[in-house]
Amino acid sequence: MSGYFSECGLYWRPLGGNNIDQISGHCYQYTDIKKSKSGIKASTIIVDIGKFDNHQALGIKNSVAAVPDIRELLNTPLLSPEAIFLTHSHPDHLNGIIHYVNAGYKLPELYGGKYTKLILDELYTEYNIPIENQPNFNLINSGNKIKCGSFIIEIIPSSHTCFDSFGLIITNHEGIKVYHTGDMKTDNSTYFRKPTDLKRLSQLSGKINFAVTDFYGVTDDGFAVREVDTFKKLVQIIKTSKRKKIFIPVYPTHAEMYIIAFLAALKTKKNVIFYGNNDFYSYLNLIKNYGIDFQKIAKKQIKVIIGTPNEIKDFDDNFAVIGTFNTLGNYFKEKPSDSLGIITSGTFFNPLRGQLNARNIPFVGVKDYPVLQGCGHGAWGDIEKINSILNGPCFIPTHCPTYVIDGCRQLACETNIKIASPTPQNNHVYKLSKSSFEEISQQPASWLVANYSSGKAILTEVWQTPTSGMGFLKRTLSKRRCYNKFKTMLYKRQKLRNKSCL
């Protein structure tokens, strides 16, 4: 990496998030190099340190996680990071912090939202990390502007599936501006959370040179599902079913679904039982600690309890069960004539489906109504909207396998979206100027796989290799399926263009 120190400028390197065939373990380095009287001066920030979801496929026995390899930054004085910015609280953006601390590394100051801190504090407790080993945490809010070395970082909210999800406007000493979106969509119908600040982005129109953008959902056409539409569909299904007992399992880390399901129950005058596994109760407590008071929202229109078998047995039969559960355990005396399941995740609740089938209890799911799953990531229409608002920045895609970026180039050209070339890959270094995106270094990408002994993390370096044969992408977003989707989207747009030319 030392080769790029000879020139001033802004440098960007993905250390996780631009993987060969996976979509997790996010981590991004920004380094601004300027000349001073004493010579070269570098300012470095890191955005996110997540865990790699498919760590078992890396082949280290008894692994508990894999994390992006930031050792070079931590061990090189010139590159020593000024700060780590945490865009939100999901494990693939946050949990790497824990394993570095437990391996004995001293991390720089952290910047993140209140909910992110609540999650991180839970992790510190779970891993028995004493307060003196915890990096200093600075709370951020939308509108904050933070100076880190020669960088100015402005915080703006992003619509996602948890509280305090942020994007960053990063400006270097030359005035190059990068919009690092974090995980986001353009849907503004969020509940109890700030949506993506499209007004602020409009004010920055024509001033953003690069958008380092969440491309997780771009293989779907149109816009991400709006949360208000998920809410309306839940209400419609509950009303139409005329069933007394409604079972709504929700994905554990997606706080918005807890709230949407609750509001749908309130709208349909269903009492609410929050019920699930230990993980669920932990997340529910975090939501309450954040300031969401379900009893207060209910305004005595419905009863609300956090369910245990003893509490449930005397509860009114007109209720919705909301939580993370793959078993009902006969606590609810459910039967085909009075019960309905509404499954809000594609594969996570397969065991529950089996139970409902075995008991002849009807259920609907995302195959029947895709809107039920919601989405925290923008589809292709969201990218087109951001492109229009920002007046054509250069997009640097993240949060997707590299073959997604390769596959969408023709569609991008058709829709006047500029995609950085060459395709960004983990551990390659890129120089960003106001008019160019230049690859200046290619290095093999690696992960650090974490094992634990006597409470301490032992990190083993493993080179990045294709792993989707053992991961969920084989089931959901194969290379072939991805290319076929982009082909269909491109064909539709070409057909529309040809029609308008007639």
Side-chain angles (χ1 to χ4, degrees):
M1 282 180 57
S2 59
Y4 68 65
F5 291 134
S6 56
E7 288 187 31
C8 294
L10 176 60
Y11 296 85
W12 177 78
R13 177 170 67 151
L15 292 151
N18 287 76
N19 310 348
I20 300 168
D21 61 352
Q22 291 284 324
I23 54 172
S24 62
H26 300 280
C27 185
Y28 308 93
Q29 170 197 350
Y30 290 84
T31 295
D32 188 30
I33 294 177
K34 59 186 283 193
K35 285 186 178 164
S36 66
K37 289 178 182 177
S38 56
I40 290 289
K41 184 171 175 53
S43 298
T44 294
I45 61 169
I46 295 172
V47 178
D48 293 335
I49 304 182
K51 77 177 180 71
F52 181 52
D53 290 331
N54 201 20
H55 58 91
Q56 295 94 339
L58 296 172
I60 302 294
K61 254 186 159 186
N62 302 317
S63 64
V64 298
V67 297
D69 188 352
I70 64 167
R71 293 173 300 172
E72 184 177 18
L73 301 181
L74 297 177
N75 296 331
T76 307
L78 187 61
L79 289 178
S80 182
E82 313 260 346
I84 297 170
F85 285 83
L86 301 168
T87 59
H88 64 288
S89 60
H90 285 163
D92 58 327
H93 293 256
L94 173 69
N95 285 34
I97 299 286
I98 295 299
H99 304 296
Y100 270 102
V101 171
N102 259 346
Y105 285 93
K106 185 171 174 55
L107 296 179
E109 292 195 291
L110 309 179
Y111 288 83
K114 176 184 170 184
Y115 189 70
T116 301
K117 187 175 190 307
L118 289 172
I119 296 279
L120 193 56
D121 287 344
E122 287 269 310
L123 290 167
Y124 288 148
T125 301
E126 180 185 341
Y127 282 87
N128 299 309
I129 297 173
I131 194 163
E132 61 267 20
N133 292 356
Q134 299 170 18
N136 187 44
F137 195 103
N138 300 280
L139 284 175
I140 57 175
N141 286 294
S142 56
N144 290 164
K145 289 186 179 178
I146 298 152
K147 184 166 174 54
C148 281
S150 55
F151 285 114
I152 300 290
I153 296 96
E154 179 182 349
I155 312 300
I156 68 169
S158 286
S159 303
H160 194 41
T161 59
C162 58
F163 303 103
D164 292 339
S165 187
F166 292 116
L168 311 171
I169 307 296
I170 300 168
T171 307
N172 84 327
H173 80 281
E174 300 169 312
I176 299 170
K177 286 189 184 297
V178 178
Y179 172 35
H180 188 109
T181 69
D183 290 358
M184 64 83 70
K185 57 184 175 178
T186 58
D187 172 26
N188 272 12
S189 67
T190 55
Y191 296 93
F192 303 102
R193 313 188 314 285
K194 289 185 177 179
T196 301
D197 193 345
L198 301 180
K199 182 180 177 183
R200 177 60 182 142
L201 293 180
S202 295
Q203 292 168 352
L204 292 165
S205 180
K207 298 173 185 174
I208 298 291
N209 305 101
F210 295 92
V212 175
T213 308
D214 167 18
F215 260 47
Y216 179 94
V218 294
T219 52
D220 290 325
D221 209 348
F223 290 88
V225 171
R226 294 193 315 151
E227 290 177 23
V228 68
D229 293 333
T230 302
F231 165 74
K232 286 177 180 176
K233 181 54 69 177
L234 279 172
V235 169
Q236 180 194 33
I237 292 169
I238 293 169
K239 279 183 174 176
T240 306
S241 76
K242 297 180 180 174
R243 305 286 171 127
K244 289 185 176 180
K245 299 174 183 177
I246 307 294
F247 298 93
I248 312 175
V250 295
Y251 196 75
T253 60
H254 289 189
E256 99 285 3
M257 282 305 296
Y258 293 51
I259 292 168
I260 291 171
F262 177 82
L263 292 175
L266 178 61
K267 179 79 174 175
T268 54
K269 299 292 191 290
K270 293 282 181 192
N271 298 317
V272 168
I273 301 169
F274 285 114
Y275 165 79
N277 57 21
N278 289 336
D279 258 6
F280 167 71
Y281 292 122
S282 177
Y283 278 107
L284 184 63
N285 282 331
L286 286 164
I287 291 170
K288 288 162 65 182
N289 291 340
Y290 186 75
I292 303 300
D293 186 335
F294 291 104
Q295 297 283 5
K296 191 174 179 182
I297 297 167
K299 294 180 180 174
K300 297 185 179 179
Q301 295 176 58
I302 60 172
K303 297 175 186 173
V304 183
I305 66 166
I306 296 175
T308 66
N310 288 334
E311 291 171 316
I312 291 165
K313 66 182 180 183
D314 299 322
F315 202 63
D316 191 314
D317 264 0
N318 180 49
F319 57 74
V321 180
I322 300 169
T324 293
F325 50 89
N326 268 320
T327 178
L328 300 179
N330 295 313
Y331 302 137
F332 307 100
K333 299 176 184 174
E334 64 280 352
K335 52 193 178 188
S337 60
D338 70 359
S339 303
L340 176 73
I342 305 176
I343 313 292
T344 63
S345 176
T347 58
F348 193 76
F349 297 107
N350 280 345
L352 178 61
R353 285 189 182 88
Q355 277 194 54
L356 296 171
N357 274 328
R359 301 180 198 191
N360 293 316
I361 293 171
F363 64 90
V364 295
V366 296
K367 282 188 177 176
D368 308 291
Y369 305 106
V371 70
L372 287 176
Q373 182 155 315
C375 193
H377 306 269
W380 192 261
D382 295 87
I383 299 299
E384 289 181 290
K385 186 169 182 176
I386 293 292
N387 184 58
S388 173
I389 290 172
L390 292 180
N391 194 21
C394 178
F395 283 87
I396 305 175
T398 63
H399 205 315
C400 64
T402 53
Y403 62 72
V404 170
I405 305 170
D406 293 334
C408 76
R409 288 191 179 278
Q410 203 175 346
L411 177 63
C413 190
E414 180 70 25
T415 52
N416 296 314
I417 292 172
K418 183 181 177 184
I419 303 283
S421 183
T423 293
Q425 296 186 53
N426 282 349
N427 215 29
H428 292 201
V429 179
Y430 305 88
K431 186 176 183 187
L432 314 184
S433 72
K434 289 187 176 178
S435 58
S436 68
F437 175 85
E438 179 188 0
E439 183 178 78
I440 62 161
S441 171
Q442 293 185 9
Q443 298 177 87
S446 61
W447 298 95
L448 299 180
V449 180
N451 294 84
Y452 273 75
S453 176
S454 303
K456 295 296 178 187
I458 300 161
L459 302 180
T460 304
E461 183 179 62
V462 178
W463 298 115
Q464 178 175 282
T465 56
T467 57
S468 65
M470 298 173 68
F472 87 39
L473 286 173
K474 189 176 178 66
R475 305 194 299 272
T476 61
L477 191 66
S478 68
K479 188 172 183 177
R480 182 176 173 184
R481 186 171 173 229
C482 165
Y483 273 77
N484 286 342
K485 279 192 161 196
F486 282 132
K487 250 166 117 178
T488 304
M489 291 156 70
L490 176 65
Y491 174 73
K492 278 167 66 178
R493 280 159 175 76
Q494 287 175 333
K495 199 173 172 186
L496 276 171
R497 176 167 51 82
N498 292 338
K499 251 187 182 178
S500 66
C501 288
L502 292 175

